[in-house]
Structure formats: structure tokens, C-alpha cells
Amino acid sequence: MRLILILILFAPALAAIDMKDVDRDTLRHVRLALLKDEVRKHFELRIGDFESLDQAVSADVKMGDAKRLVVLRLGHKAAAVLVEKTKQGDAAGAYCFMEVESRVELQARLDGEFVELRCRVTEDPLPERTRLLRLKDGKLQCCLTWTNAESKTWSTGRYERSTTRRFVKSDSELRIVEEVVYSLDGKPIDGGRSSAVTPLIDGDGGLTRGTRKDDAIPVTTHCAIARKLERDGLNDAALHHATLAGERADEEKLPKDDTRRLEAMALVARLEARLRRDDVVER
């Protein structure tokens, strides 16, 4: 009877961490991480109180003497802790704390030199945010944060813009590569693709973004897409491209009498007027 009462009293805590998702090595590393006073204080836990955590995940890394990194999460609080090899055995080493949005996933990158920690920003699958972890001067560091995937839709979901951003290293250069794809009814639209590269500058406080280089959709292509969408009755999506055409004309510093700028302005005016009329009719 006493055992039943104990199980009932402690059931919420025991159910907090999903043990099916935690392998034996990860669980051992979690216990090691919680031996650090700072880590326990971050979560307001006692030694060995790993059952109260919401999540624990780990990944193979190559960071100094560490071959494994474990991340603990309780609510929106998270701690990343390196597990190092010592003469006495495994021990918790460098660590860092951060606030996260939701459930986290880990992926080691570039031979384990970096680790990407990803989580959803809301309850929906997108947007998704990434935090980049590395070992810098003996300290575990969250050196960069970015939105790695997001989408936006128009015309009751028929038209979609999907954006992905990847962390890449080539020729000793770190960068974020962005790709944007527009789709109509699930199929990429002709000309509706752009890309951009942002170099990353290494510093003591982390990685900072350099000058972004765009391979943008031209003004004429934006206008062509806007006209096609207008013919299909997708006026809000068409207005989006017409507006981008005008912004691109500004960026390219096209003359006021340039035919491309004039076409973009005409499209914006016509589509805005049509959407206003539609809004009045609906009301």
C-alpha cells in the first residue's frame, strides 16, 4: 500500500522525461551533468533528480577532450554540457545555458566541431530555429542563432514561400546559405527562386554576420509572376510580388521613368485597388 501511495505522489515527476527517448549512455551523461552545482541550480534540481527533466538528448562531438555533448531541457530552460574523458572516467566538463522555445533536436556538423540545436518556435512545424554550439577557448559557446526554416502562404494556402537557411563551411569560410522557393499548389513556379550567402565572421563573442550577397529575383520576373497570379485570381499573392518588384527597383536604383519600375508601380496600384474593392464587397 505504501509503495502504491509513493508511486501516485511521484507519478508526475517520473513521467516528465520520456525514458523511451533516452538511451543508457545519454542517461548516464545526464546524471554526470547534474553533478555540477551550476547545472542543478539552473534547473533548481537536486543531485540525481533527472526524472524531473522534460527532455535529454546527446550527440557525438570532437570538442577538445570531449567526445559527447548532452543537452538537458526543463520547460524553456536548457543546458548543454560536454562529457570529457579523464583518468578517473567520464566527467562533465564545459557547459552553457540558454532559453529555448520547445523540444530540441541535436545534429553534429563539420566532423563534430559544431553542433546544431534545433527547436520549433511555435506549436506548428515551422518556423524552426537553430542555435550553433562550439568550444571556444575552453568554454562551450552558443555562437550563432538563426531561423533555419520558415514559410508564408497567400490565397488560402495555394501560394507558398518556403525559406531555408543552412550553415556551411567551405575553404575555411563559414557562412549561412539561404534559399527561397515560391510554389503554386505545391509546384515551384517558374522564376520563383532566389538565394543569398552571408559570410560569418569569427570573434570572441561568437559568429557575426558579414555583408550579405543576394542572387535575387529580377524586377521583370517579379512582374511576370505577379501578372500570372493576377490572371489566376490570386491577387494577394500577386501584390506580394509586385511590391517586391518595386523594392527591387529601388535597390537597383532604376530611374523613375524606367519601364520596369513603371510596370511594378502600375501592378501595385491596380492590385491594391482590386483588393480594396474585394474587401468592401465581402463586408
Side-chain angles (χ1 to χ4, degrees):
M1 185 67 180
R2 181 179 300 174
L3 179 59
I4 293 174
L5 288 173
I6 291 174
L7 289 174
I8 292 173
L9 288 172
F10 287 93
L14 293 172
I17 188 169
D18 189 349
M19 302 306 296
K20 293 182 294 183
D21 293 339
V22 183
D23 59 64
R24 184 178 300 177
D25 285 340
T26 298
L27 187 57
R28 180 168 59 87
H29 296 154
V30 169
R31 290 190 173 111
L32 290 174
L34 289 176
L35 291 176
K36 278 192 169 291
D37 292 341
E38 297 86 352
V39 175
R40 290 200 313 279
K41 290 178 181 177
H42 180 65
F43 295 112
E44 299 179 358
L45 297 177
R46 300 184 300 274
I47 294 179
D49 191 15
F50 63 89
E51 296 96 341
S52 298
L53 294 169
D54 290 326
Q55 191 184 2
V57 291
S58 61
D60 293 328
V61 299
K62 293 181 181 179
M63 298 181 179
D65 295 328
K67 304 299 181 185
R68 196 76 175 168
L69 181 139
V70 62
V71 172
L72 292 63
R73 182 180 67 83
L74 179 57
H76 294 294
K77 290 183 178 181
V81 184
L82 287 173
V83 178
E84 301 175 345
K85 294 287 186 180
T86 68
K87 293 181 179 179
Q88 292 74 33
D90 290 344
Y95 60 88
C96 68
F97 303 135
M98 66 203 84
E99 293 289 319
V100 296
E101 291 81 13
S102 61
R103 186 176 181 85
V104 301
E105 296 178 1
L106 291 185
Q107 181 182 7
R109 297 295 311 278
L110 307 180
D111 296 326
E113 180 184 355
F114 294 90
V115 171
E116 291 183 0
L117 186 153
R118 296 178 179 173
C119 56
R120 295 179 179 181
V121 176
T122 66
E123 293 299 321
D124 299 323
L126 297 178
E128 187 180 65
R129 186 165 293 154
T130 293
R131 291 168 176 82
L132 192 68
L133 308 180
R134 68 170 177 180
L135 188 65
K136 177 76 171 181
D137 298 329
K139 296 181 179 180
L140 191 61
Q141 180 187 71
C142 180
C143 58
L144 185 69
T145 301
W146 75 94
T147 300
N148 62 279
E150 59 185 330
S151 68
K152 181 176 175 58
T153 61
W154 294 265
S155 302
T156 62
R158 289 189 60 196
Y159 197 68
E160 181 180 22
R161 180 188 65 201
S162 301
T163 305
T164 58
R165 300 178 184 90
R166 297 178 292 111
F167 173 65
V168 176
K169 181 179 181 181
S170 61
D171 299 329
S172 301
E173 180 186 58
L174 302 176
R175 53 187 177 173
I176 294 292
V177 177
E178 176 184 292
E179 293 181 327
V180 178
V181 177
Y182 287 95
S183 301
L184 177 59
D185 296 330
K187 297 180 180 179
I189 195 164
D190 289 343
R193 185 184 296 270
S194 67
S195 62
V197 175
T198 303
L200 300 173
I201 303 168
D202 198 352
D204 293 337
L207 301 175
T208 57
R209 293 168 174 81
T211 303
R212 173 186 169 107
K213 297 179 181 179
D214 284 291
D215 183 9
I217 298 173
V219 176
T220 53
T221 303
H222 273 305
C223 290
I225 294 173
R227 290 195 304 272
K228 171 181 170 46
L229 295 172
E230 183 184 18
R231 289 194 300 270
D232 292 342
L234 309 180
N235 294 319
D236 55 344
L239 177 59
H240 169 71
H241 278 284
T243 303
L244 290 181
E247 293 175 355
R248 188 64 189 165
D250 289 338
E251 292 170 6
E252 295 180 8
K253 298 180 180 179
L254 298 181
K256 292 183 179 180
D257 59 351
D258 188 284
T259 55
R260 292 167 292 176
R261 178 187 291 278
L262 294 173
E263 182 181 15
M265 293 172 60
L267 280 167
V268 169
R270 185 168 70 242
L271 288 163
E272 285 182 339
R274 181 169 293 150
L275 287 169
R276 281 196 299 269
R277 288 198 302 270
D278 291 345
D279 184 50
V280 170
V281 171
E282 288 178 3
R283 289 182 181 180

